[in-house]
Amino acid sequence: DTLWDLAIAEVEKRENADDDGKHVEVWEKSLLFMGNKNGGKTTIILRCLEREEIPKPTLALEYTFGRRARRHNTPKDIAHFWELGGGTSLLELIRIPITSNNVRSFAVVLVLDLSKPNELWTTAEKLLQVTRNHVNKILTKLEKTNPEVATEIKQRMRNNLQRDHPDYDLVDPFPIPLVIIGSKYDIFHEFDSEMRKIVSKTLRFISHYYGASLVFTSKSEALLLKARVLINHLAFGYDKSKSLSVDPGKPLFIPAGLDSLSQIGPPPASDSDIGKMRANTPLELWKKVFEKTFPPKSFCNLQDTKDPAQDLQYAEYEVDVMRAQKNQELEQYKRNAAKSWKEMDFDPD
């Protein structure tokens, strides 16, 4: 059989009726994992897919997938897992996995390293801002080509909060489903209690403001299981969890729509300090309060990202020889181009 024959056979198989005489719809979703460099994204993905593998450093943008069968003798649902490496240094790659064809079934998992609170806000802000801008551009195009789908996506995110929720008009839901995971809770748990309270309270606000679910996790199997519950809901349509944990002394677990601004409380600062801060939005006010305690580090992620071509673990003799040859050719081209440029006659006559 040719590839096309196999493809046609697969489609016909999926369209066949099940034992009850009803058509079985195959669930196909996509998730993009992003967050702090070395924050534990790969570990979380492997545990969700129940793979006993040793995590390796993520190179740029990586892809894997998982399959699950809802019932015996039914087609398996498919979940596409994308992982963005490099922290915030490879933001332009976000546009590759999220397209107008799959945005309807796409979700984002933001993994924030709780052991690095000074990088927390900057990482979240940059990644969510770029992703949101990209998704909004897609939705703008869909409004012209397929307005029903664009409306459905926007309304679905608004539905995370009931219309009678007191915060319905005070939040700004992310355009696609979002889960925020605070990783390395085992290290974070050793922090000063006041520092833990500030981080926990701030992440609760960010998650609620964006209509996201929030969970803290670590290498502990029990905590990884809680993260898997939220991810499996997005990836395979498993039932939502109704459990809730908002105690700052314990790992947080808050599904989207179950928190409120009144329960979170005001930003963790004195009234006089808040009064001195100039902010145009609640999000900006929380940022200023948070960064007063945890000032962002001035570092360049681009410099921190090593060139994979120079990494010995990716060495391949034939490829490296060819690359060296091409580099020489490129340098020769540059020299010739520079020489030609100097010899050009720019006399207007």
Side-chain angles (χ1 to χ4, degrees):
D1 291 341
T2 67
L3 182 61
W4 288 113
D5 292 331
L6 294 173
I8 292 171
E10 178 67 19
V11 171
E12 290 176 346
K13 180 181 176 182
R14 293 183 182 184
E15 290 179 347
N16 285 338
D18 63 9
D19 296 336
D20 298 326
K22 298 177 181 178
H23 288 284
V24 178
E25 182 181 355
V26 175
W27 178 286
E28 188 167 355
K29 299 289 182 178
S30 300
L31 282 77
L32 172 61
F33 286 73
M34 56 188 186
N36 289 93
K37 189 176 182 181
N38 301 319
K41 299 182 292 296
T42 306
T43 300
I44 294 170
I45 291 174
L46 291 175
R47 295 304 299 134
C48 285
L49 297 177
E50 299 178 0
R51 294 180 187 171
E52 299 295 334
E53 300 175 21
I54 299 175
K56 297 179 181 179
T58 302
L59 178 63
L61 183 66
E62 296 192 0
Y63 168 82
T64 188
F65 67 94
R67 297 165 68 90
R68 296 280 190 278
R70 275 176 276 183
R71 297 191 303 276
H72 184 60
N73 289 334
T74 60
K76 290 184 177 181
D77 296 328
I78 304 170
H80 307 281
F81 288 75
W82 296 86
E83 181 183 357
L84 180 69
T88 60
S89 64
L90 301 170
L91 296 172
E92 68 277 7
L93 296 180
I94 288 174
R95 60 187 174 84
I96 293 176
I98 310 177
T99 67
S100 57
N101 292 328
N102 65 14
V103 68
R104 192 179 188 180
S105 58
F106 214 101
V108 169
V109 180
L110 176 64
V111 181
L112 299 174
D113 189 339
L114 295 174
S115 70
K116 300 176 181 178
N118 297 84
E119 299 178 16
L120 191 149
W121 192 287
T122 302
T123 300
E125 184 177 53
K126 286 185 177 180
L127 290 170
L128 292 180
Q129 188 176 56
V130 171
T131 306
R132 181 169 211 154
N133 289 342
H134 174 61
V135 173
N136 283 339
K137 287 181 181 178
I138 292 176
L139 292 179
T140 299
K141 292 180 180 179
L142 282 176
E143 286 175 348
K144 299 177 181 178
T145 60
N146 200 336
E148 292 182 359
V149 171
T151 301
E152 177 196 328
I153 292 173
K154 292 179 180 180
Q155 190 57 47
R156 181 181 61 192
M157 294 314 300
R158 269 290 173 187
N159 289 341
N160 272 338
L161 279 186
Q162 298 296 325
R163 285 192 172 274
D164 58 353
H165 194 290
D167 304 335
Y168 188 82
D169 295 319
L170 301 176
V171 297
D172 187 16
F174 206 66
I176 56 179
L178 172 66
V179 169
I180 298 178
I181 297 178
S183 65
K184 301 186 181 180
Y185 178 79
D186 50 336
I187 300 175
F188 176 70
H189 186 61
E190 302 299 322
F191 284 12
D192 174 76
S193 61
E194 193 58 32
M195 293 174 65
R196 293 203 313 269
K197 184 178 180 181
I198 293 172
V199 172
S200 297
K201 199 172 185 181
T202 301
L203 284 179
R204 282 182 66 184
F205 172 79
I206 293 174
S207 300
H208 183 59
Y209 186 78
Y210 284 126
S213 297
L214 174 65
V215 60
F216 284 0
T217 189
S218 68
K219 294 180 180 179
S220 160
E221 193 63 32
L223 292 185
L224 279 171
L225 182 60
K226 288 191 173 185
R228 284 175 59 189
V229 168
L230 293 176
I231 293 170
N232 282 333
H233 169 67
L234 296 177
F236 300 108
Y238 289 11
D239 292 339
K240 285 184 178 181
S241 173
K242 295 181 180 179
S243 63
L244 185 69
S245 176
V246 297
D247 185 347
K250 298 178 180 179
L252 297 181
F253 183 85
I254 311 172
L258 297 186
D259 213 342
S260 69
L261 295 176
S262 60
Q263 290 177 315
I264 297 170
S270 65
D271 292 342
S272 59
D273 286 341
I274 292 178
K276 296 175 184 176
M277 296 178 180
R278 295 183 178 180
N280 296 319
T281 65
L283 194 66
E284 191 177 335
L285 176 61
W286 276 82
K287 176 183 179 180
K288 289 180 180 294
V289 171
F290 183 80
E291 292 187 342
K292 185 177 180 181
T293 304
F294 302 105
K297 290 184 178 180
S298 55
F299 61 90
C300 180
N301 278 325
L302 290 173
Q303 293 177 351
D304 186 47
T305 304
K306 297 179 181 178
D307 182 357
Q310 307 303 323
D311 195 325
L312 293 178
Q313 70 171 319
Y314 302 116
E316 291 187 41
Y317 177 75
E318 293 84 358
V319 175
D320 293 340
V321 169
M322 180 60 71
R323 181 184 176 87
Q325 179 183 330
K326 293 300 180 182
N327 284 340
Q328 290 179 356
E329 294 175 1
L330 177 61
E331 290 304 318
Q332 184 62 45
Y333 172 80
K334 288 179 180 178
R335 286 193 292 270
N336 293 340
K339 184 178 179 182
S340 300
W341 178 266
K342 291 177 182 177
E343 294 175 351
M344 284 179 130
D345 183 9
F346 289 99
D347 190 338
D349 296 331

